Amino acid sequence: EQARKGARGGFLVAASRQTAGRGRLGRNWESPPDRGLYVSILLRPDLPMTEAGKLTILSSVATVDAVETVSGLRPQIKWPNDLMVGGRKLAGLLIETEPKGGRLAFAVIGIGLNVRQEAGDFSPAVRGLATSLYLATGQLYRRADLLVALLQAVERRLSRPFDEVREAWTASSLTLGQRVTLTTVRGRKHGQAMGLDESGALLLRGDSGEVEA
């Protein structure tokens, strides 16, 4: 709403809790009070809509950077938008965009990072699938410190060529080389994850040997 009213790039909303937190494909994102970092960042990058996928890659790399800066822990990235530690989800990202004449009018980067949760803070449905910085390290971190590190990392990554961001994503990827099933607007696709193209799309080698983005 603020973006449509003309808010400048860099506008930020952070919450202590979310009553309707959501992830990709409309899934619920659990947001217990005062436990995680729940933040949305407005960007107005000069990009064609066909390159909007770069923002998912950049945001995931920046979140990894921030976690490493504050905690020393470097999560792995599971395509397209999950950060994983020890096989469990530490953070999720959701990018929402609005086009204008084939280009990005704006993008909102939504990030949920589990910081101080104990096992009992997660519902039984996700308890075996999720983790937090506290559960992974035994340390309690200030969410404000993580937010500062995150904003600095986003700004730094935005200022660098996308090839550098892509290399950092590749180095942290949990997905590359794996056989995966992707749910896309064109249906489900199966194949081996091979890398990223110049627009940030995942390159998938199908059973026929053909590689598509």
Side-chain angles (χ1 to χ4, degrees), residues 71-188:
S71 72
L73 192 68
R74 188 161 185 88
Q76 291 182 289
I77 302 170
K78 179 182 176 184
W79 175 270
N81 60 345
D82 293 339
L83 267 59
M84 310 292 290
V85 171
R88 297 190 177 199
K89 186 185 294 192
L90 177 72
L93 301 95
L94 185 66
I95 313 295
E96 297 190 333
T97 59
E98 187 158 297
K100 184 177 181 180
R103 301 189 74 80
L104 272 174
F106 62 81
V108 177
I109 303 172
I111 299 171
L113 173 62
N114 297 330
V115 182
R116 302 168 73 93
Q117 286 95 331
E118 300 180 30
D121 291 316
F122 296 113
S123 71
V126 302
R127 197 168 294 160
L129 306 174
T131 190
S132 69
L133 284 177
Y134 173 69
L135 290 172
T137 67
Q139 301 291 318
L140 287 172
Y141 297 98
R142 281 166 32 100
R143 290 170 298 153
D145 292 340
L146 286 157
L147 177 57
V148 169
L150 175 63
L151 295 176
Q152 290 174 338
V154 169
E155 190 169 41
R156 183 172 61 251
R157 291 295 184 180
L158 279 170
S159 71
R160 305 300 301 160
F162 182 67
D163 279 351
E164 282 187 21
V165 178
R166 185 167 56 167
E167 285 179 14
W169 184 91
T170 299
S172 296
S173 175
L174 194 64
T175 305
L176 291 189
Q178 301 296 314
R179 181 164 179 81
V180 297
T181 299
L182 300 183
T183 302
T184 75
V185 293
R186 299 187 298 275
R188 293 167 75 85

